[in-house]
């Protein structure tokens, strides 16, 4: 399987006559773009904004981030989701780099939604403050979940994906500034040099805890709650086969943009043939029942062993209950003789003294920690808010609250906020961006 | 000008050696013994105003009284920081520094800094309560140890950004906090680095150390339940309504045993829960949901169990440290053995 990613580095984004890309300038015809958003009759209100690093803008409730792309030889960017099923990870895809489409609720947020500050102290908590962003602020008629803490955010998330495809389509015929090639030979057809290197599988534990369909990550459009661990080519993940769900405290979520750019996959590609033999990805999940957790761990270990993996990296999308899956999977791999390193956020509580994961095992002796979800963050008011600031306090965002006897409400009258890291949009960056860790004090 | 007060024992307070270890606490204005070196290291911006001296044995055998006396000395005194020791490897001295340091921090909410050698039992007892710097084995390390305490104290008082326990040189307090790496290294780079080291059998440092586990094996089954004496032990905080043992509602260090030999059930209004970690409404309305005396009596009548033990045992589990829980458990076990208990139902909440 060979994926060619043609990159266009966006230096600025402006609204204009024709949606187009030229010399680093991405121009968007706002009306045309909004028409694409409104293709879904459930979208009741929609507007577009452009925000850049350093802007005095706060975005909340942020629901999704997507990199604008186009499949050059035709077909949907997200097979099985925005169009027919087809093989992802093969052929040519063009991408607009250093930018993302952000989807923000005009009013209503939920447990899974987050916050982004484009400047100031808050900017360091999310990756997306470094990007130029096309921000869709919209509302829907999905009355059934308007006041629910758990939201599927279906209309908004799909609108974001359509918008990303629409914007990405402007570079379909253009010559990319950079071409990256991602190619792995079939596992049994690799050269001796590669085969002699220590082999590694990447185990991704996708968020799939909701029994009801519509909240979990999708693999080729298939709900990961209904999935058993399966083997995937890393190119499939980089090329739109997996989309983010709408569940879990926001900081520990992986956005669709995160999947499209997955830094650990890219690092494994860099090492492939030099220090490691990258076998591929075992795609697993995070379900709630103990039997489901054990079944997944068992299958992951079996697959790693059958593939002849000497080592594994396990990354969990979430924390708390999923820690049980994470530790069980590491233990199963270690028991199968696969040397394993884990990637996870921690939850140490307001006083920092809680056990960092809900289960621990001495066999999990190599863990990279990407931060603490429970860290308190206090931020001054921001000049402009896109979305609705009150949602942080009102709508049950994982790191916000309406009232606290010591801390007061998350959103204060002057627009300043106090929150837990939990609600920083995809802030834990377990996918590999994180330059944070956790240390003992 | 910031102000500091130092606590030392009778030996360093120049009262005397072992024969003076019963010396009752005193507070003196100005500098005694190690206080002079502390003042020198703190420099001009911080003044050590008083030295408190107490005999190690006095603190050991009259802890509560000693603490109250010293807290009384400090009442009304202005101070921004409190030092204790350094205690080196002296166990009783380390424990005394910990006891008084913890009390001062709780009452006056000022930072407390001590120093002990890693073999000093005071480290494990008090490392989560106060800053304890890694110190030398004997008084030969006095200057070095005091310098570490003073340097950190100055940085604390200046509001400087403080690094992790390992970087600063004190024993970790069990507080885990998020930090940004400087220089920044992404998690992707760190995970590859750790993986390669693990694969090649090289030394690597996990970023989330797993605490040592102290697992107790499951006991063998009771052969004949119909002859067994069964007791209930709970961390659910069920106590007589006046809480006679003053068990804390959270972070408990005390437990109680209560005679129920005359009762068939625990009545609401006679027993209640003092546990602060859950909604007490149901347990207060019917304490048997946590200490199931009613059902056990029925089993006793039916002959399913031999008897219900005369006493049940109770403490509070929320926020209680593993160390305290283990200590209380060991103490309770002695009583259970004396009462010839064959089996225990542990009720958590």
């Amino acid at each position: 399987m060979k994926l060619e990613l043609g990159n266009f580095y966006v230096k600025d984004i402006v609204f204009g006559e024709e949606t187009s890309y030229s010399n680093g300038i991405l121009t968007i015809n706002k009306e045309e773009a909004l028409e694409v958003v409104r293709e879904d009759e459930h979208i009741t209100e929609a507007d577009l904004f452009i925000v850049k690093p350093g802007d005095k803008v706060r975005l909340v409730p942020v629901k999704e981030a997507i990199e604008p792309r186009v499949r050059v030889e035709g077909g949907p960017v997200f097979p099985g989701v925005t169009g027919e099923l087809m093989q992802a990870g093969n052929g040519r895809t063009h991408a607009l780099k250093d930018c993302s489409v952000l989807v923000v609720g005009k009013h209503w947020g939920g447990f899974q939604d987050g916050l982004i500050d484009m400047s100031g102290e808050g900017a360091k908590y999310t990756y997306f403050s470094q990007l130029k962003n096309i921000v869709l602020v919209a509302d829907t008629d999905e009355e059934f979940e308007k006041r629910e803490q758990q939201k599927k955010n279906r209309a908004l998330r799909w609108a974001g994906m359509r918008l990303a495809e629409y914007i990405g389509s402007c570079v379909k015929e253009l010559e990319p500034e950079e071409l990256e090639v991602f190619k792995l030979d079939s596992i049994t057809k690799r050269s001796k040099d590669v085969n002699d290197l220590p082999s590694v599988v990447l185990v991704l534990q996708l968020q799939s805890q909701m029994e009801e369909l519509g909240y979990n990550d999708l693999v080729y459009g298939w709900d990961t709650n209904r999935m058993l661990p399966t083997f995937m080519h890393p190119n499939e993940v980089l090329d739109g086969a997996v989309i983010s769900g709408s569940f879990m405290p926001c900081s520990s979520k992986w956005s669709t943009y995160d999947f499209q750019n997955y830094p650990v996959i890219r690092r494994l590609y860099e090492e492939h043939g030099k220090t490691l033999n990258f076998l591929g990805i075992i795609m697993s999940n995070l379900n709630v029942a103990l039997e489901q957790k054990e079944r997944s761990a068992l299958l992951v270990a079996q697959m790693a062993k059958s593939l002849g993996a000497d080592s594994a990296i396990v990354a969990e999308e979430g924390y708390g209950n999923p820690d049980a899956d994470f530790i069980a999977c590491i233990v199963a791999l270690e028991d199968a003789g696969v040397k394993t390193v884990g990637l996870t956020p921690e939850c140490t509580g307001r006083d920092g003294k809680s056990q960092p994961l809900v289960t621990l095992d001495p066999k999990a002796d190599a863990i990279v920690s990407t931060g603490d979800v429970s860290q308190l963050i206090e931020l001054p008011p921001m000049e402009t808010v896109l979305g609705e600031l009150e949602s942080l306090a009102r709508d049950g965002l994982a790191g916000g609250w309406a009232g606290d006897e010591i801390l007061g409400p998350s959103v204060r009258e002057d627009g300043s906020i106090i929150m837990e890291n939990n609600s920083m949009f995809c802030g834990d960056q377990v996918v590999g961006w994180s330059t944070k860790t956790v240390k003992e004090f | 000008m910031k102000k500091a007060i130092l606590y030392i024992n009778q030996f360093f307070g120049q009262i005397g050696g072992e024969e003076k270890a019963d010396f009752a606490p005193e507070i003196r204005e100005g500098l005694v013994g190690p206080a002079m070196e502390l003042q020198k290291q703190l420099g001009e911006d911080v003044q050590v105003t008083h030295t408190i001296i107490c005999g190690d044995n006095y603190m050991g055998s009259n802890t509560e009284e000693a603490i109250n006396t010293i807290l009384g000395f400090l009442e009304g005194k202005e101070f921004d920081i409190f030092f204790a020791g350094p205690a080196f490897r002296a166990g009783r001295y380390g424990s005394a520094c910990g006891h008084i340091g913890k009390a001062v921090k709780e009452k006056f909410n000022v930072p407390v800094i001590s120093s002990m050698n890693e073999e000093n039992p005071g480290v494990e007892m008090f490392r989560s309560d106060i800053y304890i710097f890694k110190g030398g084995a004997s008084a030969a390390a006095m200057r070095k140890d005091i310098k570490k305490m003073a340097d950190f104290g100055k940085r604390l008082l200046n509001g400087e950004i403080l690094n992790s326990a390992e970087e600063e040189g004190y024993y970790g307090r069990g507080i885990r906090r998020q930090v940004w790496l400087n220089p920044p290294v992404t998690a992707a780079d760190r995970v590859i680095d750790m993986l390669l080291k693990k694969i090649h059998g090289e030394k690597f440092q996990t970023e989330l150390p797993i605490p040592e586990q102290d697992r107790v094996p499951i006991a063998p089954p009771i052969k004949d339940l119909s002859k067994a004496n069964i007791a209930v032990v709970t961390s659910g905080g069920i106590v007589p309504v006046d809480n006679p043992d003053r068990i804390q509602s959270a972070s408990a260090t005390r437990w109680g045993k209560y005679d129920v030999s005359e009762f068939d059930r625990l009545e609401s209004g006679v027993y209640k829960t003092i546990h602060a970690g859950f909604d007490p409404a149901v347990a207060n309305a019917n304490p048997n949901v946590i200490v199931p005396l009613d059902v056990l009596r029925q089993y006793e009548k039916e002959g399913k169990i031999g008897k219900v033990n005369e006493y049940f045992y109770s403490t509070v589990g929320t926020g209680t440290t593993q160390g305290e829980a283990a200590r209380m458990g060991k103490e309770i076990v002695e009583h259970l053995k004396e009462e010839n208990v064959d089996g225990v139902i542990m009720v958590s909440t």
Side-chain angles (χ1 to χ4, degrees):
Chain A
M1 196 173 271
K2 182 178 163 193
L3 171 66
E4 292 181 323
L5 263 186
N7 296 326
F8 297 81
Y9 286 90
V10 175
K11 293 184 188 70
D12 200 6
I13 308 174
V14 292
F15 289 124
E17 290 281 302
E18 188 193 353
T19 298
S20 60
Y21 176 86
S22 174
N23 294 323
I25 310 297
L26 173 63
T27 306
I28 296 168
N29 179 321
K30 191 170 171 179
E31 269 322 299
E32 209 173 280
L34 284 170
E35 271 170 39
V36 173
V37 168
R38 291 197 200 97
E39 277 169 17
D40 181 350
E41 59 186 17
H42 293 292
I43 301 286
T44 53
E45 283 182 83
D47 204 351
L48 284 183
F49 301 85
I50 293 161
V51 300
K52 297 168 204 166
D55 285 357
K56 290 175 178 157
V57 178
R58 174 167 292 157
L59 303 118
V60 66
V62 184
K63 293 161 187 291
E64 173 67 301
I66 307 139
E67 187 171 78
R69 288 188 178 186
V70 63
R71 205 173 285 286
V72 174
E73 288 119 20
V77 172
F78 304 103
V81 177
T82 53
E84 295 293 302
L85 271 171
M86 62 177 286
Q87 181 70 64
N90 217 7
R92 172 82 78 98
T93 294
H94 284 177
L96 287 158
K97 306 306 284 188
D98 295 339
C99 74
S100 84
V101 168
L102 294 177
V103 183
V104 179
K106 182 157 170 84
H107 302 293
W108 306 98
F111 190 63
Q112 66 290 321
D113 301 338
L115 180 141
I116 297 172
D117 269 5
M118 292 303 293
S119 63
E121 170 71 10
K124 69 179 182 190
Y125 291 96
T126 75
Y127 183 77
F128 296 91
S129 59
Q130 310 166 36
L131 302 179
K132 288 132 229 158
N133 297 302
I134 303 119
V135 183
L136 168 64
V137 181
D139 199 10
T140 79
D141 66 357
E142 292 159 313
E143 295 294 327
F144 74 98
E145 65 176 16
K146 189 162 269 181
R147 294 190 179 269
E148 291 292 328
Q149 189 177 15
Q150 304 292 355
K151 289 182 171 62
K152 296 180 183 179
N153 287 319
R154 160 112 197 171
L156 291 175
R157 291 193 291 135
W158 262 249
M161 284 185 277
R162 283 198 305 280
L163 185 57
E165 287 188 333
Y166 163 76
I167 294 167
S169 66
C170 75
V171 290
K172 187 173 183 179
E173 312 290 341
L174 302 184
E175 201 50 44
E177 292 153 23
E178 174 191 65
L179 194 68
E180 292 181 285
V181 178
F182 297 91
K183 180 173 173 292
L184 290 178
D185 290 331
S186 303
I187 289 175
T188 57
K189 303 281 189 281
R190 294 185 182 174
S191 69
K192 185 171 182 310
D193 290 354
V194 173
N195 270 327
D196 286 347
L197 293 168
S199 56
V200 59
V201 286
L202 175 62
V203 181
L204 300 184
Q205 297 185 301
L206 301 182
Q207 184 45 242
S208 64
Q209 287 188 290
M210 290 298 271
E211 291 293 333
E212 189 183 331
L213 302 182
Y215 297 94
N216 301 314
D217 292 359
L218 301 179
V219 173
Y220 284 109
W222 186 254
D223 196 297
T224 45
N225 182 278
R226 307 292 201 267
M227 180 185 93
L228 290 175
T230 192
F231 186 68
M232 288 183 75
H233 194 290
N235 289 2
E236 294 180 287
V237 178
L238 295 177
D239 194 33
V242 185
I243 68 149
S244 175
S246 188
F247 180 66
M248 253 289 129
C250 196
S251 69
S252 64
K253 235 173 43 168
W254 302 345
S255 71
T256 296
Y257 182 98
D258 289 331
F259 283 112
Q260 293 171 299
N261 289 279
Y262 215 105
V264 172
I265 296 179
R266 286 172 161 270
R267 277 296 280 120
L268 283 167
Y269 255 113
E270 282 173 33
E271 296 301 319
H272 179 68
K274 290 182 198 152
T275 62
L276 292 166
N277 175 13
F278 183 20
L279 298 176
I281 292 177
I282 298 176
M283 195 58 83
S284 189
N285 53 6
L286 297 164
N287 286 4
V288 285
L290 187 59
E291 197 183 272
Q292 295 168 327
K293 295 174 191 294
E294 285 172 356
R295 186 181 296 116
S296 286
L298 190 141
L299 281 163
V300 168
Q302 173 276 119
M303 236 179 273
K305 203 67 197 159
S306 300
L307 290 163
D310 299 313
S311 68
I313 294 170
V314 180
E316 69 164 323
E317 186 188 1
Y319 74 91
N321 182 297
D323 295 339
D325 310 62
F326 176 67
I327 292 294
C329 189
I330 292 173
V331 169
L333 285 163
E334 286 286 340
D335 284 346
V338 181
K339 289 179 177 164
T340 304
V341 180
L343 256 170
T344 179
E346 299 184 31
C347 178
T348 65
R350 295 252 170 103
D351 62 1
K353 291 190 171 187
S354 285
Q355 182 172 306
L357 304 177
V358 301
T359 47
L360 295 171
D361 193 290
K363 284 175 185 161
D365 64 355
I367 291 178
V368 170
S369 172
T370 63
D372 171 29
V373 300
S374 47
Q375 182 109 16
L376 272 181
I377 301 165
E378 210 171 340
L379 296 170
M382 194 63 95
E383 249 175 50
T384 305
V385 174
L386 294 181
E388 191 169 317
L389 189 60
E390 190 53 33
S391 66
L392 174 65
R394 181 192 62 206
D395 297 347
L397 270 69
W401 49 85
D404 180 288
E405 52 192 11
I406 299 161
L407 303 171
S410 272
V411 178
R412 298 165 181 152
E413 272 180 28
D414 66 352
S416 64
I417 57 175
I418 182 163
M419 59 184 280
E420 281 184 3
N421 192 27
N422 261 315
S423 282
M424 280 296 173
F425 184 74
C426 299
D428 299 336
Q429 307 168 32
V430 169
V431 293
W433 316 110
S434 177
T435 56
K436 296 178 291 176
T437 187
V438 177
K439 289 186 176 178
E440 188 179 358
F441 283 82
Chain B
M1 169 76 78
K2 303 272 189 188
K3 289 177 177 164
I5 292 176
L6 173 68
Y7 173 93
I8 52 176
N9 72 357
Q10 86 285 349
F11 179 74
F12 292 103
Q14 296 158 7
I15 304 295
E18 194 58 33
E19 76 285 358
K20 297 284 185 189
D22 285 320
F23 185 75
E26 269 190 28
I27 185 162
R28 302 209 184 148
E29 276 191 30
L31 311 173
V32 181
M36 287 184 250
E37 182 64 21
L38 180 64
Q39 180 63 72
K40 198 176 133 196
Q41 296 292 347
L42 285 170
E44 289 172 359
D45 297 335
V46 188
Q47 189 196 354
V48 182
T49 60
H50 296 81
T51 310
I52 293 167
I53 307 164
C54 178
D56 285 338
N57 284 354
Y58 189 90
M59 178 64 86
S61 40
N62 312 285
T63 314
E64 211 168 319
E65 205 183 318
I67 288 173
N68 287 336
T69 307
I70 294 169
L71 293 180
F73 291 159
L74 295 172
E75 198 79 53
K77 297 226 167 24
E78 275 178 45
F79 62 110
D80 306 283
I81 192 162
F82 190 84
F83 293 93
F88 316 109
R89 202 179 276 172
R92 282 172 301 162
Y93 189 16
S95 164
C97 289
H99 274 297
I100 194 62
K102 183 181 177 195
V104 168
K105 183 171 168 259
E106 277 167 11
K107 172 130 194 216
F108 299 100
N109 196 28
V110 294
V112 175
I113 302 176
S114 185
S115 163
M116 300 178 203
N117 182 260
E118 60 187 353
E119 285 180 30
N120 194 317
V123 172
E124 281 317 305
M125 289 166 75
F126 295 102
R127 63 187 291 174
S128 63
D129 301 305
I130 59 172
Y131 293 107
I132 304 175
F133 276 77
K134 295 178 181 171
S138 72
M142 178 72 83
R143 253 183 219 175
K144 227 171 101 193
D145 289 357
I146 287 186
K147 184 172 188 323
K148 284 190 211 166
M149 293 163 68
D151 287 350
F152 186 70
K154 280 191 286 187
R155 297 186 52 216
L156 258 176
L157 291 173
N158 290 338
E160 289 179 30
I161 291 172
L162 305 171
N163 299 315
S164 70
E166 203 187 331
E167 290 156 305
E168 295 286 358
Y170 61 88
Y171 300 99
R173 293 173 299 156
I175 297 171
R176 290 182 65 75
R177 286 286 180 226
Q178 169 170 295
V179 291
W180 274 260
L181 292 167
N182 185 19
V185 185
T186 67
D189 285 342
R190 278 137 64 199
V191 82
I192 297 292
D193 181 59
M194 200 182 287
L195 184 78
L196 288 173
K197 283 181 173 154
K198 188 166 178 175
I199 289 172
H200 296 296
E202 292 164 24
K203 222 179 140 206
F204 61 88
Q205 182 66 51
T206 182
E207 295 179 17
L208 198 172
I210 306 287
E212 265 180 54
Q213 295 191 323
D214 186 12
R215 288 226 164 131
V216 179
I218 294 170
I222 295 168
K223 286 207 178 75
D224 186 357
L225 210 51
S226 70
K227 293 193 174 64
N229 179 17
I230 303 296
V232 175
V233 179
T234 184
S235 57
I238 297 290
V239 293
V241 284
D242 60 347
N243 189 13
D245 296 297
R246 295 179 295 124
I247 298 171
Q248 302 92 332
S249 292
S251 305
T253 58
R254 289 195 278 269
W255 54 271
K257 64 185 275 189
Y258 305 107
D259 187 346
V260 287
S261 54
E262 303 298 317
F263 309 131
D264 282 339
R265 52 180 283 115
L266 298 185
E267 294 299 337
S268 173
V270 182
Y271 292 87
K272 66 169 186 183
T273 180
I274 45 128
H275 194 294
F278 60 86
D279 183 344
V282 174
N284 286 343
N286 178 11
N288 300 278
V289 298
I290 291 176
V291 176
L293 182 64
D294 52 353
V295 182
L296 285 170
R297 282 278 178 244
Q298 203 180 324
Y299 279 9
E300 193 180 50
K301 275 176 203 145
E302 291 168 8
K304 273 192 184 159
I305 60 172
K307 67 172 272 203
V308 182
N309 192 46
E310 215 175 324
Y311 302 94
F312 78 89
Y313 293 78
S314 183
T315 185
V316 163
T318 190
T320 301
T321 62
Q322 201 179 338
E324 288 294 336
R327 176 188 56 77
M328 290 192 279
K330 282 176 191 152
E331 290 168 5
I332 291 170
V333 162
E334 291 309 314
H335 289 255
L336 295 171
K337 279 187 191 161
E338 264 172 44
E339 291 152 18
N340 294 314
V341 170
D342 299 301
V344 171
I345 299 173
M346 283 283 302
V347 188
S348 70
T349 50

